Amino acid sequence: MKLYATSIPQTLPSWATVISNNAGLMEIEINDKDPGFHSIIEELSTEIQPGVIGVKAGDLCQRLSIEMIDTSEEN
């Protein structure tokens, strides 16, 4: 799983790695097999819509102090 961010904390969890940093846009790869990542996912899981349990990307980024880029925004 990858996230794109404009800012990240000084220290990331062991399951998150900065892959690239070009012109202030950072690509972060998440090791979704890491037990530490799974514990956060379990903690943040909510019912997104009736019958669907998941984690909102915004909630995960807020927890990690990452400012995520919304690629769906039109410029």
Side-chain angles (χ1 to χ4, degrees):
M1 170 163 120
K2 292 184 181 179
L3 299 173
Y4 296 90
T6 55
S7 69
I8 59 173
Q10 199 74 29
T11 304
L12 289 172
S14 60
W15 43 263
T17 306
V18 176
I19 301 298
S20 67
N21 184 351
N22 295 319
L25 180 63
M26 291 162 258
E27 181 179 12
I28 302 151
E29 187 167 65
I30 304 293
N31 176 1
D32 57 4
K33 296 183 183 351
D34 188 284
F37 178 71
H38 281 275
S39 67
I40 287 181
I41 293 300
E42 288 176 15
E43 185 178 321
L44 295 175
S45 291
T46 60
E47 189 171 33
I48 295 173
Q49 59 182 338
V52 178
I53 303 295
V55 175
K56 295 178 184 176
D59 292 345
L60 178 60
C61 289
Q62 181 178 13
R63 173 67 181 270
L64 299 175
S65 300
I66 294 173
E67 187 174 329
M68 188 174 74
I69 298 296
D70 184 354
T71 58
S72 67
E73 287 183 4
E74 298 202 17
N75 295 326

